[in-house]
Amino acid sequence: MRVPFFRPSINQEEVHAVEAVLQSGWLSSGKVACDFEKEMCTMLCREKKHPLYTISVQSATAGLHLSLASMQLPRRSVVLTTPYTFVSTVNSIIYADLQFKLIDVVAEGYLIDPDRCIAEINKNTQVKAIMPVLLAGDSLDYTELYTHARKKGIKIIEDAAHAFPARTPSGYLGTSGDAGVYSFYGNKTITTGEGGMVVCHDKELYKRIMVLRQNGFEISPYERKTNERPWHEMYNVTHLGYKYNMPDILAAIGRVQLQKSERMHSQRALVVQHYTSFLQNLPYLSIPHIDSKNYTQHSWHLFIIQFIDSRLDRDTIMAQLYKRGIQCSVHYKPIHLHSYYKTRYKLNKDDYPNATKSYQRSLSLPLFPDMTEEEIHYVCTTLIEICEGMMR
């Protein structure tokens, strides 16, 4: 049997939606992208007391960059974030001409330690923003951290690339900060192929992001097309911007995926329940905790296991799984272990022991909505066979 790491849930609905855009004559950002933003906003606002604004973008990387660039932070301000993340997180900080400061994750975990963040905020007056990463679609209780940050005037940007459509009693993950950014990359919980969405609460921040998203033009090409004002009044750049808008072709896929998002989320949770039933009592593995009554508080974008027996080598196990047709991955190689950041920013792995330890022991198993029980059984029995063989 061959089991891919991910298989997208795409059918004729997405195909027809794209065909409609191709036949419309308007392929870039237009009505379809606007409708996608409105529908996303409506869904996210269900459990929010305050209004939200949504901006579709070419990628979550672009969304993070736009969020920071629009917050008007002093040049070279410090942004706290985690070493346990994809490189886009720190890249976006660098793009915005800000400095990143890595804060280690909690022990045995993957999420930034809130107590360490608070300690750094208290001693470093250059900290002007924090960027927690909701890795795998999970979160910690950051209430105290966020409250402390707001008292100090520190901005909160949630890297929620993995988080949609997880929700807590206070609302959807990714909507608790000044800005949140979702990813719709090919293997995410919903996909547009490439793409993302910025969510924010402040109307002025929303306006600045909208201008910067479209090369610094006050009025977008689609708005110019439908506006009766003289063209030279509308064709005007007010800021140095970026080409970060989402085209209608991708937004068309996103609108269909959004309609299916809750069903696909439930399917992912069911896969996780099957994994849990196979792997939960193995003394050499640590697996994510699932509360069947509150499964919606995790997006289940990833199912990351940890090998807690010293006889088990992650890379060897991964290679053996590949030989047997099972594609796995590692999420992620921490920032401080990449040669570019390690060298340029003089990062020392000993400064982030929790992140290093979690990385060395972790493996992401295949997880997608249409994964069959037969595929899950094959992954689990093969994994157990390899592990127990190594420990003999």
Side-chain angles (χ1 to χ4, degrees), residues 182-207:
Y182 299 113
S183 172
F184 305 139
Y185 182 64
N187 67 351
K188 294 300 191 294
T189 51
I190 69 170
T191 184
T192 57
E194 294 278 0
M197 189 77 72
V198 182
V199 180
C200 65
H201 298 267
D202 181 69
K203 190 172 184 178
E204 293 306 311
L205 177 61
Y206 164 75
K207 289 178 179 178

Side-chain angles (χ1 to χ4, degrees), residues 64 79-82 84-85 89 93 110-114 117 129-135 138-140 142 145-146 155-161 174 177 179-181:
L64 291 170
V79 182
L80 304 184
T81 192
T82 168
Y84 211 107
T85 185
T89 308
I93 298 169
Y110 308 98
L111 302 179
I112 194 167
D113 188 327
C117 284
I130 56 174
M131 189 181 287
V133 177
L134 310 180
L135 193 107
D138 197 7
S139 183
L140 297 175
Y142 287 128
L145 170 60
Y146 287 8
K155 299 295 185 182
I156 302 163
I157 305 96
E158 293 185 311
D159 182 338
V181 183

Side-chain angles (χ1 to χ4, degrees), residues 38-322:
K38 291 174 184 175
E39 290 159 4
M40 185 88 179
C41 188
T42 298
M43 183 172 184
L44 295 175
C45 283
R46 282 189 214 156
E47 299 171 19
K48 275 293 187 188
K49 296 178 182 178
H50 306 292
L52 290 172
Y53 301 93
T54 46
I55 307 104
S56 58
V57 288
Q58 288 187 354
S59 66
T61 309
L64 291 170
H65 180 203
L66 283 174
S67 299
L68 288 167
S70 301
M71 286 181 175
Q72 302 175 322
L73 300 174
R75 183 175 176 271
R76 307 298 290 161
S77 294
V78 172
V79 182
L80 304 184
T81 192
T82 168
Y84 211 107
T85 185
F86 187 56
V87 297
S88 294
T89 308
V90 294
N91 286 354
S92 68
I93 298 169
I94 298 168
Y95 297 158
D97 200 16
L98 303 169
Q99 300 182 77
F100 67 86
K101 169 75 174 178
L102 301 180
I103 304 296
D104 205 2
V105 298
V106 294
E108 313 296 330
Y110 308 98
L111 302 179
I112 194 167
D113 188 327
D115 293 333
R116 292 172 189 256
C117 284
I118 291 173
E120 184 65 28
I121 288 170
N122 289 340
K123 73 177 183 181
N124 188 345
T125 59
Q126 296 303 307
V127 175
K128 301 299 180 184
I130 56 174
M131 189 181 287
V133 177
L134 310 180
L135 193 107
D138 197 7
S139 183
L140 297 175
D141 184 355
Y142 287 128
T143 303
E144 184 180 356
L145 170 60
Y146 287 8
T147 299
H148 190 73
R150 289 190 171 102
K151 285 180 180 178
K152 299 274 189 177
I154 292 170
K155 299 295 185 182
I156 302 163
I157 305 96
E158 293 185 311
D159 182 338
H162 298 178
F164 186 77
R167 58 190 187 275
T168 69
S170 61
Y172 281 83
L173 290 186
T175 63
S176 295
D178 295 285
V181 183
Y182 299 113
S183 172
F184 305 139
Y185 182 64
N187 67 351
K188 294 300 191 294
T189 51
I190 69 170
T191 184
T192 57
E194 294 278 0
M197 189 77 72
V198 182
V199 180
C200 65
H201 298 267
D202 181 69
K203 190 172 184 178
E204 293 306 311
L205 177 61
Y206 164 75
K207 289 178 179 178
R208 291 195 294 271
I209 293 174
M210 289 291 284
V211 170
L212 292 185
R213 182 189 67 169
Q214 52 206 22
N215 282 315
F217 281 94
E218 274 188 300
I219 300 176
S220 71
Y222 184 71
E223 289 173 309
R224 294 199 295 270
K225 171 180 176 289
T226 57
N227 197 308
E228 295 182 356
R229 288 168 55 189
W231 76 271
H232 57 83
E233 292 182 7
M234 298 184 289
Y235 198 79
N236 182 44
V237 170
T238 59
H239 295 77
L240 179 63
Y242 312 94
K243 192 70 174 71
Y244 281 166
N245 56 294
M246 176 186 284
D248 273 10
I249 294 174
L250 302 188
I253 301 171
R255 291 185 68 196
V256 177
Q257 289 272 298
L258 188 62
Q259 293 172 6
K260 303 191 294 186
S261 60
E262 292 186 348
R263 174 173 60 80
M264 293 193 294
H265 185 215
S266 296
Q267 290 175 302
R268 284 177 173 273
L270 186 59
V271 172
V272 171
Q273 288 176 356
H274 286 311
Y275 269 140
T276 301
S277 66
F278 272 103
L279 305 176
Q280 64 183 339
N281 295 320
L282 301 177
Y284 47 85
L285 288 184
S286 173
I287 67 172
H289 170 71
I290 180 169
D291 183 343
S292 59
K293 295 180 181 178
N294 296 302
Y295 77 90
T296 57
Q297 296 191 43
H298 198 301
S299 75
W300 302 114
H301 167 53
L302 299 172
F303 189 83
I304 306 177
I305 62 173
Q306 286 196 33
F307 302 105
I308 55 178
D309 189 298
S310 60
R311 293 170 291 178
L312 298 178
D313 177 73
R314 188 267 314 280
D315 292 344
T316 301
I317 294 170
M318 189 173 181
Q320 289 295 320
L321 288 168
Y322 263 83

